[in-house]
Amino acid sequence: MTLSGEMPSVSEGNYEFYRRIQIPIFQHYAKLTGMDTGKDIDIIYPMIEKSTLVVELGAGYGRSVQFLLQKGFCGRLVLVERVPEMIEYLKQAFPPLEILQTDIRYLQLPFQADVLLWLWSGILELSRQEQTQTVQQLYKNLKKGGLLFIEAPYQRIQVVGSHTSEKLIKLETEWGTLTAYLPSPEEVESDARLAGFSSFKKILYRSQTDLERVIYLLTK
Ligand SMILES: C[S@@+](CC[C@H](N)C(=O)[O-])C[C@H]1O[C@@H](n2cnc3c(N)ncnc32)[C@H](O)[C@@H]1O
């Protein structure tokens, strides 16, 4: 691992981490970070409620999906996830939903989406270089005028994991290690411009446990 944000095989390490995590522990992390009450979805929902096709990237155990459904979202909802154990869980928890087993980094949807949701620090799980490339890849999967929401901690990680440098974070557990790179707002903005997004906005908010977080809104 280097300070430039290159994290060789990080993605594979994180893959194993999510294969082994128990869902109640995953849910406990949501509570610790204050993501368990869906404040991110409360903010995003008015901007997407009329959308016909929403895709959630890295759906996990379905935290955000559950809030979207509770709010009565009635458009088409497609979940992207790569970990087989999570997919099994999602299938049982949300039987009618479409689930695609694929890697966000190489996403090639068979359609263009109105909205892509990449929430609860999903972007952090890629190296800096992969973040830039993936924002470009996601752009291709959106309709013109489509929206990409990227949710992340603002400036620093405060609860789950520890900083090994200003931007690299590690969470070591008995079942595996999660490695993450926290991009600065300037880096995400630069990725957005490079990919061709026509507008970039930052929405700052505080999680239920009062952590500073941000939702980046990128419009194609
Ligand atoms: C922190 S969880 C976020 C879950 C969900 N988005 C939410 O807001 O509650 C990250 C999820 O993204 C998945 N993930 C990480 N990297 C991925 C990748 N490259 N392709 C697909 N899924 C990925 C993980 O397996 C995990 O389930």
Side-chain angles (χ1 to χ4, degrees):
M1 194 182 292
T2 71
L3 290 182
S4 68
E6 285 314 301
M7 303 185 292
S9 81
V10 60
S11 205
E12 284 62 39
N14 289 1
Y15 177 77
E16 290 303 322
F17 176 93
Y18 284 112
R19 287 205 74 177
R20 298 196 175 100
I21 194 172
Q22 298 294 308
I23 301 292
I25 295 178
F26 202 168
Q27 290 167 330
H28 174 67
Y29 286 150
K31 212 174 166 81
L32 279 179
T33 47
M35 300 302 292
D36 62 323
T37 58
K39 278 180 110 178
D40 52 344
I41 299 296
D42 288 343
I43 294 166
I44 292 168
Y45 195 69
M47 294 178 259
I48 69 167
E49 63 182 324
K50 303 251 161 38
S51 306
T52 48
L53 181 44
V54 172
V55 179
E56 215 232 318
L57 307 169
Y61 66 84
R63 181 198 66 91
S64 37
V65 176
Q66 183 194 334
F67 291 119
L68 287 172
L69 296 177
Q70 271 172 19
K71 286 187 178 292
F73 181 72
C74 50
R76 184 172 167 197
L77 188 52
V78 178
L79 312 184
V80 168
E81 178 53 68
R82 64 173 176 169
V83 170
E85 288 75 5
M86 289 299 157
I87 291 172
E88 259 331 289
Y89 182 85
L90 289 167
K91 275 186 188 161
Q92 295 196 5
F94 309 98
L97 293 186
E98 290 170 71
I99 303 173
L100 298 176
Q101 180 165 17
T102 187
D103 191 311
I104 298 163
R105 293 173 295 172
Y106 317 114
L107 190 72
Q108 277 188 292
L109 296 171
F111 46 75
Q112 283 189 313
D114 296 307
V115 174
L116 297 175
L117 299 176
W118 199 8
L119 307 179
W120 191 11
S121 309
I123 190 171
L124 274 66
E125 300 203 29
L126 306 185
S127 70
R128 179 69 203 115
Q129 193 182 22
E130 288 176 322
Q131 291 173 356
T132 304
Q133 288 164 349
T134 304
V135 170
Q136 292 174 21
Q137 188 63 26
L138 296 182
Y139 179 89
K140 296 182 202 158
N141 287 274
L142 273 174
K143 287 180 190 160
K144 190 161 171 32
L147 307 176
L148 166 61
F149 291 87
I150 301 176
E151 198 279 343
Y154 191 59
Q155 309 289 20
R156 62 183 319 274
I157 295 279
Q158 288 162 289
V159 175
V160 176
S162 58
H163 283 259
T164 55
S165 76
E166 196 192 337
K167 291 182 160 181
L168 293 167
I169 298 118
K170 241 185 192 184
L171 172 64
E172 283 172 336
T173 69
E174 61 201 36
W175 67 89
T177 300
L178 185 83
T179 316
Y181 177 88
L182 178 64
S184 67
E186 294 73 26
E187 285 174 324
V188 181
E189 181 164 13
S190 148
D191 290 349
R193 301 275 173 236
L194 198 63
F197 283 94
S198 63
S199 101
F200 171 86
K201 282 189 196 146
K202 267 183 335 199
I203 304 166
L204 299 183
Y205 78 106
R206 285 187 173 271
S207 76
Q208 192 65 23
T209 47
D210 209 30
L211 303 180
E212 278 187 283
R213 300 196 63 99
V214 59
I215 297 168
Y216 298 107
L217 171 54
L218 284 61
T219 306
K220 181 162 175 177

